[in-house]
């Protein structure tokens, strides 16, 4: 389980960088400024969903179980981290401010 935890952590770090870079790029192109609760929900679901697509097959392989069993094994932690991701990002933005991609464009 230590190896599975380490691989999952490394995947989460790499996915965090890739996903947030892409999300902020799209946000800079389409956002009118600010982050609404639906935008935050989409961000959290997208992040956790993408991570699940990587972790569940790895978990199935490492434990020698089916994908369905791996999903069922992982579903509780996925639900917890979905909420955690949403609340963490909301708190982070409140403490440190929104990234440039989510700030309103300044009039020239």
């Amino acid at each position: 389980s230590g190896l599975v935890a380490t691989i999952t952590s490394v995947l989460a770090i790499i996915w965090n960088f890739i996903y947030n870079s892409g999300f902020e790029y799209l946000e800079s192109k389409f956002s009118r400024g600010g982050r609404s609760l639906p935008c935050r929900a989409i961000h959290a679901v997208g992040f956790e969903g993408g991570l699940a697509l990587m972790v569940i097959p790895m978990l199935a392989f490492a434990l020698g179980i089916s994908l369905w069993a791996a999903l069922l094994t992982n579903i509780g932690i996925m639900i917890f981290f979905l909420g955690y991701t949403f609340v963490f990002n909301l708190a982070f933005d409140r403490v440190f401010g929104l990234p440039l991609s989510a700030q309103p464009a300044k009039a020239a």
Side-chain angles (χ1 to χ4, degrees):
S1 65
L3 181 60
V4 169
T6 301
I7 292 170
T8 300
S9 296
V10 170
L11 285 173
I13 291 168
I14 293 168
W15 177 237
N16 185 37
F17 177 76
I18 293 168
Y19 182 79
N20 284 313
S21 295
F23 188 87
E24 289 180 9
Y25 172 79
L26 291 173
E27 185 175 51
S28 71
K29 298 295 181 195
F30 300 109
S31 177
R32 294 188 185 127
R35 282 192 177 161
S36 65
L37 288 180
C39 177
R40 290 177 184 284
I42 290 168
H43 178 270
V45 169
F47 177 80
E48 291 301 325
L51 186 59
L53 289 175
M54 292 179 273
V55 169
I56 290 170
M58 183 272 304
L59 188 62
F61 176 76
L63 299 177
I65 58 178
S66 70
L67 288 173
W68 180 249
L71 173 64
L72 294 177
T73 301
N74 203 32
I75 204 152
I77 200 161
M78 287 171 33
I79 292 169
F80 169 79
F81 276 108
L82 178 61
Y84 173 83
T85 298
F86 182 87
V87 171
F88 176 86
N89 283 300
L90 180 63
F92 187 91
D93 289 346
R94 296 270 165 98
V95 171
F96 296 104
L98 291 172
L100 292 176
S101 63
Q103 294 180 6
K106 299 196 191 262

